[in-house]
Amino acid sequence: MQACYASSSSSTAKVVALTFFLLLVILGSSSAQLSTNFYSKSCPKVLNTVRSVIQSAVSKEHRIGASLLRLHFHDCFVNGCDGSILLDDTSSFRGEKTAAPNKNSARGFEVIDRIKSKVEDECPGVVSCADILAITARDSVEILGGPSWNVKLGRRDSKTASLSDANSGVIPPPTSTLNNLINRFGAKGLSAKDMVALSGAHTIGRARCTTFRTRIYEEKNIDSSFAQTRQGSCPSTVGSGDDKIAPLDVQTADYFDNKYYQNLINKKGLLHSDQILFNGGSTDSLVTKYSNNDNSFDSDFVAAMIKMGDIEPLTGSNGEIRKNCRKPNN
């Protein structure tokens, strides 16, 4: 019996190992199909077309750059970078837009619509909405003073989205502990360093009162004058002023730089999930490093963005190229 058990156990282990290897090959081949020159022949003007729309949108409202960057992040974390966050709900379908992490906060969809329309005019049925999100994220960062990078392209669009998956906690909430942040990013193949670097995206943008109320009224690891200032526009009563917004970076909210990390060292992180990165834990040293070295932050942020863009892309014959980012083709 023992010999039979050992043999069976060994065979099972081999099957598990082979399955794991094949999974790695499949995932690796998907991201390997992405390339920075994917549209060089099929839609050579796509980058300039996207950038012109983003430049116009950001010149009218700097905040939109942060919103567009966030769309790419929220898209990739739920079933991969597949454009699923852009799908509208219908009478028979509920997608990601009304999920807790996105409801009343995800924005910029009209800008994506304008980009898609212009890209379709240039090269119909060629460029995916998922790729538009990736390009848009890069352009938003660069236009607001941050680093640039060559975006890997070739993703295709999903034909569906999942409200339950978006609500499952894969997108870390603003109340996250450090372990939760590390684990959630780790589940997507991103390291703790990637997580801290990507959190630096909060150097631009705003957050709603409802996401930081508890922090400014109840937490102790917060600068008192900073808390009082925020309390002035965010009442303590739940339901009162929930949608009032405040900058995530108290110094330079409309400019992409490393001031976010300096704020954390000074206990001026707006969200609990911001300040927890510098609170006596394992990521303190990274926050200190980025606060002192903008170039180091930029390079690590770029590397993390490229890795994030590789999360479970649809390639080859999977998915489709949507004609309208808000709905499947059929």
Side-chain angles (χ1 to χ4, degrees):
M1 287 292 290
Q2 289 179 342
C4 289
Y5 177 80
S7 175
S8 174
S9 177
S10 176
S11 298
T12 300
K14 289 180 180 178
V15 170
V16 171
L18 178 60
T19 301
F20 182 69
F21 173 75
L22 290 174
L23 179 62
L24 288 177
V25 170
I26 291 171
L27 291 175
S29 64
S30 294
S31 61
Q33 291 180 44
L34 303 181
S35 68
T36 57
N37 62 353
F38 189 83
Y39 297 113
S40 60
K41 294 182 179 179
S42 60
C43 194
K45 295 182 180 179
V46 61
L47 297 181
N48 289 336
T49 302
V50 173
R51 188 177 181 84
S52 66
V53 179
I54 300 302
Q55 188 80 60
S56 175
V58 172
S59 67
K60 294 175 182 176
E61 182 200 11
H62 285 179
R63 182 190 173 199
I64 200 66
S67 299
L68 294 170
L69 174 59
R70 185 170 181 260
L71 279 183
H72 182 45
F73 166 62
H74 280 218
D75 181 44
C76 289
F77 261 58
V78 181
N79 298 323
C81 308
D82 59 2
S84 55
I85 193 173
L86 302 174
L87 292 171
D88 281 343
D89 289 353
T90 68
S91 58
S92 58
F93 166 83
R94 292 196 67 193
E96 299 168 24
K97 283 186 175 179
T98 52
N102 300 320
K103 188 175 182 180
N104 298 323
S105 64
R107 58 194 299 273
F109 299 108
E110 295 79 10
V111 178
I112 300 299
D113 292 340
R114 291 199 294 274
I115 294 170
K116 181 62 172 173
S117 178
K118 287 186 176 296
V119 171
E120 285 294 301
D121 289 342
E122 186 69 38
C123 36
V126 173
V127 180
S128 69
C129 300
D131 276 348
I132 286 175
L133 284 178
I135 299 168
T136 297
R138 187 275 308 275
D139 287 353
S140 295
V141 169
E142 185 180 8
I143 290 169
L144 290 175
S148 185
W149 62 93
N150 293 323
V151 181
K152 293 165 67 174
L153 302 168
R155 303 168 192 81
R156 289 168 65 83
D157 297 321
S158 67
K159 299 178 182 181
T160 186
S162 172
L163 175 69
S164 60
D165 287 348
N167 274 329
S168 67
V170 292
I171 299 175
T175 54
S176 292
T177 63
L178 182 58
N179 282 340
N180 185 53
L181 289 171
I182 292 173
N183 291 337
R184 292 301 183 188
F185 278 75
K188 299 300 178 182
L190 298 167
S191 67
K193 182 172 79 170
D194 295 327
M195 181 271 291
V196 176
L198 288 171
S199 296
H202 284 184
T203 184
I204 52 177
R206 272 77 172 165
R208 295 162 62 232
C209 167
T210 186
T211 64
F212 60 83
R213 176 181 282 119
T214 298
R215 169 153 171 74
I216 62 174
Y217 284 101
E218 298 181 17
E219 295 188 9
K220 304 301 181 184
N221 60 337
I222 187 169
D223 178 84
S224 59
S225 62
F226 172 72
Q228 289 174 2
T229 299
R230 293 281 71 87
Q231 289 169 9
S233 59
C234 180
S236 60
T237 305
V238 175
S240 177
D242 284 1
D243 292 329
K244 290 188 176 181
I245 59 174
L248 287 160
D249 177 352
V250 70
Q251 297 188 68
T252 53
D254 294 323
Y255 190 77
F256 196 98
D257 55 24
N258 66 338
K259 296 294 193 296
Y260 165 81
Y261 299 103
Q262 296 175 15
N263 294 334
L264 300 187
I265 290 175
N266 292 320
K267 298 184 179 181
K268 294 181 180 180
L270 183 63
L271 305 178
H272 176 84
S273 55
D274 289 326
Q275 193 60 56
I276 204 68
L277 300 180
F278 190 81
N279 193 45
S282 60
T283 55
D284 281 16
S285 59
L286 280 169
V287 171
T288 300
K289 175 184 177 183
Y290 295 151
S291 73
N292 292 323
N293 192 324
D294 203 8
N295 290 332
S296 179
F297 163 50
D298 283 352
S299 62
D300 286 354
F301 178 82
V302 165
M305 284 295 293
I306 293 172
K307 283 178 67 175
M308 188 181 77
D310 278 345
I311 297 176
E312 302 172 34
L314 296 174
T315 59
S317 60
N318 295 315
E320 64 181 6
I321 304 298
R322 281 187 225 136
K323 297 175 184 177
N324 181 333
C325 290
R326 292 178 178 267
K327 60 183 181 180
N329 292 338
N330 297 313

